Amino acid sequence: MHLAAARFDLPDPVEYLRADTVGLLNALKAATVWGVRRFSVASSIAVYMGVNEVPLRENAPLPVVAAHQIPVFKKTAELFAALAGDGAGFDAVSLRIGTIWGPLSVPDNPFTPLPPRLQPQAKRRAPSSGRPGVSAGHCGGGGGI
């Protein structure tokens, strides 16, 4: 499973793409050498930018748009993984992750509308786990999807 990514705030898109591409190609090479049966690559819901059909479908044609370096890389990562998998005989699975929520998330991401709305509520009162003395924690602190 490939979940690595370059820092999203690298100022030079070429350096961002280079860092992410080298990491992905290294993981694909390892999958090929090790003879894995399935390779999962972290993609993003952002690959659907420009798709107007709702609900979103995995087989929807993805428009070629370059609004930001992350969806550009994620689309190409899906293609790289599929090509490498076809050549090496493994299944390539693209994980179109819906959102990353936590201290390193992008606050104005159009695909993450809930965190900015829930964050103020979480600061007022942490939800209870239902067990005495145990708090469920802060809603915006993790890196969940």
Side-chain angles (χ1 to χ4, degrees):
M1 179 174 290
H2 177 269
L3 294 172
R7 290 180 43 177
F8 72 89
D9 61 348
L10 289 176
D12 181 356
V14 173
E15 286 308 310
Y16 172 85
L17 294 171
R18 182 185 326 277
D20 264 3
T21 302
V22 167
L24 175 63
L25 293 176
N26 288 340
L28 289 169
K29 181 65 174 179
T32 301
V33 170
W34 295 341
V36 302
R37 293 180 301 183
R38 177 173 289 150
F39 182 90
S40 298
V41 63
S43 186
S44 170
I45 193 172
V47 301
Y48 291 109
M49 282 183 169
V51 174
N52 296 321
E53 185 180 331
V54 176
L56 298 173
R57 296 181 345 271
E58 290 178 5
N59 62 349
L62 301 178
V64 179
V65 293
H68 189 270
Q69 58 204 29
I70 292 174
V72 167
F73 174 74
K74 297 301 186 179
K75 285 181 184 181
T76 58
E78 289 187 16
L79 293 171
F80 284 171
L83 180 65
D86 287 347
F90 60 78
D91 291 326
V93 179
S94 296
L95 308 172
R96 292 184 178 166
I97 299 169
T99 183
I100 296 174
W101 185 3
L104 298 177
S105 66
V106 180
D108 60 349
N109 184 340
F111 293 104
T112 56
L114 286 179
R117 292 184 180 129
L118 296 176
Q119 191 85 20
Q121 298 301 320
K123 288 181 180 178
R124 287 189 201 128
R125 183 176 58 92
S128 171
S129 68
R131 294 183 288 170
V134 178
S135 171
H138 176 101
C139 287
I145 57 172

